[in-house]
Amino acid sequence: MYKFVFLINPISGGGQGKVIFQFLPEIMKSMDFADSEWKAEFTRAADMPEQIRGALASTETLIAVGGDGTVSAVLSAMLSGDYAGHVKIGLIPLGTGNDLARVLHLYKPFVDRGLLFLVRRLLRAKARPFDIWKVNGKFAMANYFSGGIDARIAHDFNQDRANGVIASSSVVANKMHYVRRFFADRNYVLKCGTLGFCDCDGVCESIDVSGHRTVIVGNIPSFASGANPFYKSNMADGLLEVVDVPDMSRFLMAIAIGNIPVIGGIYKKYFLKSRKVRSLKLVMAGDEFLQLDGEDLSGKVGTEITIEYACQVQMLALED
């Protein structure tokens, strides 16, 4: 049984994963860890779920080195076995958005102080409880789910990357291309849709979101590279935060300055409704654009999407 296993996405962050793989032996030796106490390996696309389950079965702490998609794959594997109670999860952020790393206070130390500083802090960090949700009983959701303009942008971005339209693999180049995709897709609206949910008091409601810009379901207080359209997301309260965005002006306002709660049915004209819910169901067009934790989910879940509580895991986090 290893104390730590590092699963490294070799292409995340413009290939930074390969650099980290090279430096890990020196870092671990400097922290007095014997070679027998840890191991590192690159993720394999062909059998990644099996690889992750094998890693979870052989370690006390699994460190995912990559973007939000890499850690989401790890958490998805945790749903299929009895790992949540005894394996802690850590993250070294190499993606474009890195929303989960931001709320765990891992992203800024990595950017400001570098790999050695983060690894030293992370391997000594305390674990905190963290909710995991199931989308249609199959996909693990750690950060957020959405359908609409932001999912359209994510879909087109991934298509551009697959087709070689994005010339560079750097994080900065990726973010610049996201901006270009936003302007290209800025007129997109939901084709049709119904949002049904049960709130924290057990009151159930259904609303029509046809023609809205997006519906965002959040588990963490970070979205689209550090924005926060939610009010007070709590990652360990068994509740989700849901925001439906009727128009572009309020979408941009929520991204820029955050949100307000709905209290006693009060609705302020220029803000968005932020609802805390225990579960929800979205009915959308079969060809609607959808995303899960920044990854394209379009065409993979049908017209009905349910999101329900799955379990709680232990995530390594630094103090704010």
Side-chain angles (χ1 to χ4, degrees):
M1 180 68 69
Y2 296 102
K3 288 186 177 180
F4 301 98
V5 170
F6 297 83
L7 278 184
I8 303 172
N9 186 331
I11 64 173
S12 287
Q16 289 185 68
K18 295 177 181 178
V19 177
I20 289 176
F21 184 85
Q22 293 176 343
F23 278 98
L24 270 176
E26 180 181 345
I27 294 172
M28 298 302 283
K29 184 177 181 180
S30 73
M31 298 181 68
D32 296 324
F33 287 110
D35 292 344
S36 60
E37 293 181 293
W38 69 279
K39 74 171 182 175
E41 58 186 65
F42 292 124
T43 56
R44 303 185 298 265
D47 65 340
M48 194 169 174
E50 292 78 9
Q51 180 187 17
I52 294 171
R53 285 193 288 270
L56 288 168
S58 65
T59 188
E60 300 170 10
T61 303
L62 180 60
I63 309 292
V65 185
D68 288 336
T70 303
V71 74
S72 291
V74 169
L75 296 174
S76 290
M78 293 189 79
L79 296 182
S80 62
D82 185 26
Y83 306 113
H86 61 271
V87 181
K88 293 178 288 213
I89 303 297
L91 172 63
I92 296 176
L94 299 182
T96 301
N98 298 305
D99 286 290
L100 181 56
R102 293 173 192 272
V103 301
L104 296 175
H105 309 299
L106 303 174
Y107 181 70
K108 193 174 187 300
F110 180 54
V111 172
D112 293 346
R113 305 289 295 273
L115 174 65
L116 178 58
F117 178 83
L118 178 61
V119 173
R120 284 181 174 276
R121 293 283 307 279
L122 184 63
L123 299 192
R124 296 188 176 100
K126 294 181 180 179
R128 58 175 293 180
F130 186 89
D131 292 338
I132 302 298
W133 301 78
K134 289 188 294 186
V135 178
N136 282 14
K138 178 180 180 182
F139 301 95
M141 175 185 135
N143 305 346
Y144 47 76
F145 173 94
S146 72
I149 182 173
D150 48 294
R152 170 68 186 268
I153 293 168
H155 171 85
D156 290 348
F157 174 86
N158 289 330
Q159 289 289 104
D160 288 347
R161 182 162 54 184
N163 295 331
V165 175
I166 304 174
S168 172
S169 59
S170 74
V171 173
V172 174
N174 286 344
K175 289 184 176 181
M176 291 299 295
H177 196 79
Y178 256 108
V179 173
R180 288 193 288 271
R181 287 284 9 144
F182 170 79
F183 284 105
D185 296 330
R186 64 186 182 276
N187 294 322
Y188 188 79
V189 299
L190 289 168
K191 301 174 180 69
C192 61
T194 303
L195 167 63
F197 56 86
C198 292
D199 65 19
C200 53
D201 296 319
V203 178
C204 297
E205 186 179 347
S206 179
I207 60 175
D208 184 7
V209 293
S210 302
H212 286 206
R213 288 311 185 108
T214 187
V215 175
I216 306 170
V217 183
N219 183 47
I220 65 173
S222 185
F223 175 77
S225 301
N228 184 12
F230 313 111
Y231 179 61
K232 287 184 177 179
S233 292
N234 183 326
M235 299 176 283
D237 63 355
L239 298 172
L240 293 169
E241 194 136 348
V242 183
V243 175
D244 62 282
V245 186
D247 54 60
M248 180 57 72
S249 62
R250 275 178 279 190
F251 176 70
L252 294 175
M253 184 174 291
I255 294 295
I257 66 174
N259 219 315
I260 62 169
V262 177
I263 302 174
I266 297 173
Y267 177 77
K268 293 188 177 181
K269 181 178 180 181
Y270 297 108
F271 289 84
L272 298 170
K273 290 184 178 180
S274 182
R275 302 173 172 91
K276 287 190 175 293
V277 307
R278 294 193 182 278
S279 63
L280 64 90
K281 179 178 180 180
L282 277 164
V283 180
M284 292 187 165
D287 59 348
E288 187 55 78
F289 293 96
L290 307 170
Q291 70 158 329
L292 174 62
D293 290 349
E295 299 296 313
D296 186 24
L297 204 63
S298 306
K300 298 178 182 178
V301 291
T303 59
E304 295 187 2
I305 303 106
T306 60
I307 304 180
E308 300 173 309
Y309 180 82
C311 64
Q312 207 168 70
V313 300
Q314 296 295 314
M315 297 284 294
L316 299 181
L318 301 184
E319 297 297 326
D320 190 1

